[in-house]
Amino acid sequence: MKLLDFRGWTLRGRIFALCLAAGLLLGGLGVAAAFTAASANNAVDVVLDRAGPLRVAGQNLGTALVDQETGIRGYAITGLPKNLEPYDNGVVAERERIAEIRNLLDPGERDIRASLERVEQLAARWRADVAGPLIETVRTQGTEAAQQRIEATDTRDFDQVRAALDTLQADILTMRDRTAAAARNSSGDLVAVEIAAAIVILATGVLLLVLLDRLVSRPIVDLAGQVRKIAAGDYERHIESNYGSPDLVALAEDVDRMRQQIATELSEVRIARQQVEWINQQLQSQAEELTRSNRDLEQFAYVASHDLQEPLRKVASFCQLLQRRYAGQLDERADQYIGFAVDGAQRMQRLINDLLAFSRIGRLTSGFTDVDLNRVLGEVRSQLEARAGADAEINWSDLPIVEGEEPLLTTLFVNLVGNSLKFRRPDVPPVVTITAALEDKEWRINVRDNGIGIESEFADKVFVIFQRLHARDAYEGTGIGLAIVKKIVEYHGGRIWLDVDVSPGASIWFTLPVVPGLTPDPLPAAPATDPASASSSPDSVPAVSSSSSPDSEQVSSQEGTA
């Protein structure tokens, strides 16, 4: 009974079983059709190749026997030898027809063979009892004696030959009718087999359509309807498939598991979206806070550049007046104190200017343009010509064109080259070499000198604001120059580092992107400033970073030891 339970069969198994059963039925019908067709062909062959020729041969045999009788009678009347020729020809024709009939007969056709032998025996007895003596009478006694003999002779012997010949023809006709009936029956059987095959094919097609409709079409349509409802937004709807083949039921279960996974991930996405919205709110709040902080920072910069510098300039001016007017009139200690006050006021001014320059990087922007670094280095060498002296060398060649702000890039090279000139070795002419190479879609630019160098333990410290490696009386400066350089490089989307594996001198590498993307903003961005007003304002970056004056030195802590 378990073998007849098709509910656990897969669609492939059911279709295979149906096709196998139909194939077996059609195969059996094909074998039966082959045998039937072979039988029909045999019957037709018998009718065409044997029955017909047998009837013709039988008729010719009868003609030969009649020719023998006619020839004997004509010879007996006339006594002429030529009238005996039909008899002789009939005897020859009789033997040929009998041999022909025997060749056409099968071993199983005993009735026709017996009738043929009967005809042959009676014909031979007729020739021995009637024809032969009559021919001898004509030759020995003449035609009158032969005619008298014919009149006295009984025709019963030849009538027996005729009757035997009729029997032979009747047996041949019976054989032909029997084979024709067999051919007709075989044709009918073949038609019946073809009808049965058509019925089997039709039934198989109907069963296949019913099977596909019930096990495939209906379950798929039902599954598609449930999936459409889920696609419309009902993600919590459970997909069910209670009918159909096991593989379609398994497909429905897989689709339901996929729905559950999608529903779970969608729930997670909703939660994540809520979190993102909350984070966006927090970021918006922070952005508003940063905007407020930027306004405060701009206000501080304004105050630092105007309100704070005014009293500082006054203090410095009066201290300088005291120094000029009373120098040498007071004691030595008083002159020293006045000098300290003047130096402190001047250093405070430089610190304030450098802090303003550092804070304005990235806030006051004129926009990125194509900048030829060869032209920038020409401007840098012109600015540093007085400090470099006649023996200094500043070398570069084939520098690239990058995208950036030319004033900031000029400030960057002024600080780097200026440091190389300031931290020179005694009695050694300074040599500064600037090179560039393209690597990984960015320009790697190197500034190398032959100065006093930097110890490896200070590789990170040199880029920190107000970090000095020397005393103020050894090298002047505020200790903010390399911090400004680092901020300019990062503002342009690059990075900067110190190469500690070179000697003598120092080697600083920095990168600039070939195609600038989103660059990091080290400080919160201030509202956009008009480039024209920025360049004309005394608070703009280029004005602060000039290195031609010893009082505006940007870098004081590049090289040396702690």
Side-chain angles (χ1 to χ4, degrees):
M1 295 298 294
K2 293 183 178 179
L3 294 176
L4 299 178
D5 187 5
F6 296 101
R7 290 176 295 179
W9 287 31
T10 63
L11 179 61
R12 177 182 295 178
R14 299 183 187 189
I15 293 178
F16 177 78
L18 177 61
C19 293
L20 179 62
L24 292 176
L25 288 175
L26 291 176
L29 291 174
V31 172
F35 281 109
T36 304
S39 177
N41 290 334
N42 291 334
V44 172
D45 291 341
V46 169
V47 171
L48 296 178
D49 298 337
R50 294 173 56 245
L54 281 174
R55 289 195 64 191
V56 173
Q59 292 174 356
N60 291 334
L61 178 59
T63 302
L65 293 174
V66 171
D67 288 343
Q68 293 180 38
E69 183 186 18
T70 303
I72 287 296
R73 290 183 179 274
Y75 180 68
I77 294 173
T78 62
L80 297 176
K82 65 178 182 179
N83 290 333
L84 190 60
E85 290 179 359
Y87 171 80
D88 295 334
N89 293 335
V91 173
V92 174
E94 175 190 353
R95 292 173 184 157
E96 292 177 353
R97 300 290 81 78
I98 290 175
E100 181 181 359
I101 292 172
R102 282 199 176 97
N103 291 332
L104 292 174
L105 292 176
D106 282 342
E109 295 172 342
R110 296 184 180 87
D111 294 340
I112 299 177
R113 193 176 297 276
S115 298
L116 180 62
E117 292 177 356
R118 176 69 175 171
V119 170
E120 186 178 11
Q121 292 173 0
L122 292 176
R125 190 172 63 182
W126 174 78
R127 282 192 297 272
D129 295 344
V130 176
L134 188 58
I135 294 173
E136 185 64 25
T137 300
V138 172
R139 291 176 179 175
T140 58
Q141 298 178 13
T143 58
E144 293 181 1
Q147 291 177 5
Q148 293 176 0
R149 186 178 179 86
I150 290 175
E151 292 176 358
T153 302
D154 190 2
T155 61
R156 185 172 49 188
D157 292 336
F158 197 79
D159 291 338
Q160 290 179 355
V161 174
R162 291 178 184 274
L165 185 60
D166 292 338
T167 302
L168 176 62
Q169 290 285 43
D171 291 340
I172 293 174
L173 183 60
T174 301
M175 184 268 289
R176 190 204 65 173
D177 294 339
R178 184 173 63 252
T179 54
R184 286 192 296 271
N185 293 335
S186 297
S187 300
D189 294 340
L190 185 59
V191 172
V193 170
E194 292 176 352
I195 294 174
I199 293 174
V200 170
I201 293 173
L202 181 61
T204 302
V206 172
L207 289 176
L208 187 60
L209 289 176
V210 172
L211 184 66
L212 292 177
D213 178 68
R214 181 164 182 79
L215 298 182
V216 178
S217 299
R218 293 183 185 179
I220 287 179
V221 170
D222 180 68
L223 179 61
Q226 298 183 65
V227 171
R228 290 191 191 96
K229 292 180 181 179
I230 294 174
D234 188 7
Y235 297 105
E236 301 301 327
R237 180 184 180 86
H238 179 65
I239 295 178
E240 297 180 352
S241 180
N242 297 324
Y243 62 94
S245 61
D247 40 7
L248 288 181
V249 174
L251 175 62
E253 294 175 354
D254 292 338
V255 174
D256 187 65
R257 281 194 293 269
M258 182 176 65
R259 176 201 60 81
Q260 295 175 2
Q261 181 68 24
I262 293 175
T264 302
E265 293 180 357
L266 183 60
S267 177
E268 294 176 356
V269 168
R270 289 173 178 170
I271 296 175
R273 180 184 297 175
Q274 295 175 356
Q275 295 176 350
V276 169
E277 291 176 353
W278 181 83
I279 293 174
N280 287 335
Q281 293 176 357
Q282 298 297 319
L283 290 176
Q284 186 175 1
S285 301
Q286 292 180 4
E288 294 174 355
E289 180 65 20
L290 288 176
T291 302
R292 184 192 61 78
S293 177
N294 285 337
R295 288 196 298 266
D296 295 342
L297 183 61
E298 290 179 357
Q299 182 66 26
F300 167 76
Y302 178 82
V303 171
S305 61
H306 295 84
D307 297 346
L308 292 182
Q309 290 207 51
E310 177 60 28
L312 184 60
R313 281 194 297 268
K314 184 177 293 187
V315 170
S317 298
F318 280 102
C319 287
Q320 290 174 351
L321 288 175
L322 286 174
Q323 188 179 37
R324 288 195 299 269
R325 178 171 295 184
Y326 297 104
Q329 298 182 17
L330 302 176
D331 57 12
E332 183 179 353
R333 186 176 295 275
D335 291 339
Q336 185 180 10
Y337 288 164
I338 292 174
F340 287 160
V342 172
D343 180 67
Q346 290 177 346
R347 286 194 296 108
M348 178 62 73
Q349 284 182 328
R350 289 196 296 271
L351 283 173
I352 290 175
N353 289 332
D354 288 346
L355 278 174
L356 287 174
F358 183 82
S359 65
R360 287 167 181 161
I361 297 174
R363 294 192 304 110
L364 301 177
T365 174
S366 59
F368 279 18
T369 59
D370 292 339
V371 179
D372 186 355
L373 295 185
N374 297 286
R375 184 177 70 248
V376 169
L377 263 296
E379 175 65 22
V380 170
R381 182 163 59 182
S382 176
Q383 292 185 25
L384 298 178
E385 184 175 2
R387 185 189 308 181
D391 59 346
E393 293 184 14
I394 303 175
N395 304 318
W396 73 88
S397 64
D398 299 331
L399 296 181
I401 296 177
V402 298
E403 290 193 75
E405 295 192 26
E406 185 170 352
L408 292 182
L409 294 176
T410 303
T411 300
L412 182 149
F413 283 104
V414 165
N415 280 279
L416 291 178
V417 177
N419 268 10
S420 297
L421 296 175
K422 181 170 64 173
F423 295 100
R424 60 195 296 178
R425 286 186 293 169
D427 301 328
V428 176
V431 177
V432 184
T433 304
I434 299 97
T435 60
L438 182 62
E439 183 177 344
D440 295 335
K441 297 184 180 180
E442 63 180 6
W443 290 106
R444 296 169 64 95
I445 302 173
N446 177 248
V447 179
R448 172 75 186 276
D449 61 49
N450 62 343
I452 62 177
I454 303 175
E455 298 295 335
S456 59
E457 59 265 26
F458 305 115
D460 295 330
K461 187 177 180 180
V462 294
F463 297 106
V464 180
I465 190 170
F466 296 137
Q467 292 295 322
R468 298 177 58 89
L469 304 182
H470 302 276
R472 280 190 295 269
D473 54 355
Y475 296 96
E476 63 179 4
T478 60
I480 199 173
L482 287 184
I484 290 177
V485 169
K486 182 175 184 292
K487 191 171 183 180
I488 292 174
V489 170
E490 292 178 347
Y491 171 69
H492 284 80
R495 48 196 172 86
I496 188 169
W497 68 93
L498 177 67
D499 188 355
V500 297
D501 296 329
V502 298
S503 181
S507 177
I508 294 180
W509 289 88
F510 65 92
T511 64
L512 294 175
V514 175
V515 179
L518 295 175
T519 57
D521 195 359
L523 287 179
T529 305
D530 182 65
S533 63
S535 61
S536 62
S537 172
D539 295 338
S540 62
V541 174
V544 178
S545 60
S546 172
S547 59
S548 60
S549 173
D551 293 339
S552 60
E553 180 68 35
Q554 289 86 355
V555 181
S556 64
S557 58
Q558 181 202 16
E559 300 155 336
T561 58

